[in-house]
Amino acid sequence: QVQLVQSGAEVKKPGASVKVSCKTSGYTFTGYYIHWVRQAPGQGLEWLGWINSNSGGIKYAQKFQGRVTMTRDTSISTAYMELSRLRSDDTAVYYCAKDGSDASIAAAGTLPIDYWGQGTLVTVSS
Amino acid sequence: ETTLTQSPAFMSATPGDKVNISCKASQDIDDDMNWYQQKPGEAPIFIIQEATTLVPGIPPRFSGSGYGTDFTLTINNIESEDAAYYFCLQHDNFPLTFGQGTKVEIK
């Protein structure tokens, strides 16, 4: 079965960076896009961007341009999201999620997200 | 950017009730609306795709309706195991956007 397993909770100081991993199994990693989404306490979900797990192509939400970096390691079917220059309002649960679109023939978002990771709590506090 | 307005934010239901959750889009998104269920500490689960299609393995008491800007998730004969947070997601355009979510409590 499809699984996305994320790395554990992190506590960071303002100004630092955090890197969250998302190890996948149960499907062909390079066949699909991975999205990153976050949810701050008491807030709704917010999309950060996607990465094409095959080509490494990326698209970031404008709000996070310059602060977010998405990468992948195809040898271990794992995607990564790094957020830099952390602020207190970056405190949130960060999720990776698999796009349903075949990355070899379709653009990201042609089909919806079909599987999610369990989330990683990132706390930014001095 | 497409804003999704989801309501209500909270609802309390009795087993056997019919529950409706609304998600309104700020612009026409055809049928590119999807619904997810999330229980505390767990990954969200995909329950309705393309506005009206039940994801395989999801109980048929869940259904979706709507097109364009107005969408509804319906849970018929709600059960105690349906207590969860539900949210909508549009994939018609980027950035992907989400409703604010609905917490469903079972009395």
Side-chain angles (χ1 to χ4, degrees):
Chain A
Q1 72 282 24
V2 173
Q3 286 191 307
L4 289 77
V5 179
Q6 299 182 223
S7 48
E10 303 262 14
V11 179
K12 296 291 183 182
K13 294 193 181 304
S17 297
V18 68
K19 190 171 185 177
V20 179
S21 67
C22 173
K23 183 167 179 57
T24 73
S25 60
Y27 73 98
T28 303
F29 176 72
T30 52
Y32 299 88
Y33 304 86
I34 292 287
H35 297 269
W36 289 89
V37 175
R38 75 179 187 181
Q39 185 168 32
Q43 305 295 312
L45 291 149
E46 182 175 34
W47 178 76
L48 280 74
W50 58 252
I51 182 167
N52 181 323
S53 303
N54 184 31
S55 68
I58 49 86
K59 181 179 177 67
Y60 301 145
Q62 188 169 7
K63 174 179 178 178
F64 299 100
Q65 292 270 6
R67 282 212 302 144
V68 71
T69 304
M70 296 177 189
T71 56
R72 89 281 186 232
D73 183 338
T74 59
S75 69
I76 55 171
S77 302
T78 299
Y80 302 90
M81 186 283 301
E82 183 170 21
L83 190 62
S84 63
R85 303 194 300 278
L86 290 168
R87 308 184 294 254
S88 58
D89 62 358
D90 290 318
T91 294
V93 177
Y94 289 76
Y95 295 95
C96 61
K98 172 186 168 293
D99 191 293
S101 313
D102 182 336
S104 65
I105 59 171
T110 301
L111 293 176
I113 288 172
D114 53 7
Y115 293 93
W116 296 72
Q118 84 279 15
T120 296
L121 175 61
V122 175
T123 303
V124 183
S125 174
S126 55
Chain B
E1 174 172 330
T2 301
T3 300
L4 298 183
T5 302
Q6 186 174 341
S7 63
F10 174 85
M11 68 189 318
S12 184
T14 299
D17 281 353
K18 178 179 178 178
V19 162
N20 289 311
I21 298 171
S22 169
C23 196
K24 296 184 186 295
S26 61
Q27 60 187 321
D28 190 331
I29 58 169
D30 296 336
D31 62 353
D32 294 335
M33 175 60 74
N34 310 279
W35 294 92
Y36 301 81
Q37 176 196 71
Q38 186 178 23
K39 297 183 179 179
E42 299 182 7
I45 294 172
F46 193 19
I47 58 174
I48 299 289
Q49 59 184 330
E50 308 299 348
T52 61
T53 302
L54 190 66
V55 172
I58 301 301
R61 62 181 179 273
F62 290 90
S63 64
S65 62
Y67 189 90
T69 60
D70 287 2
F71 301 88
T72 301
L73 171 69
T74 299
I75 311 173
N76 284 294
N77 298 314
I78 199 166
E79 299 185 5
S80 57
E81 67 182 32
D82 300 331
Y85 175 80
Y86 294 86
F87 63 89
C88 54
L89 157 67
Q90 69 81 21
H91 71 280
D92 179 77
N93 57 81
F94 284 98
L96 301 183
T97 51
F98 301 83
Q100 287 292 106
T102 297
K103 183 176 180 180
V104 175
E105 171 194 88
I106 308 298
K107 297 173 189 171

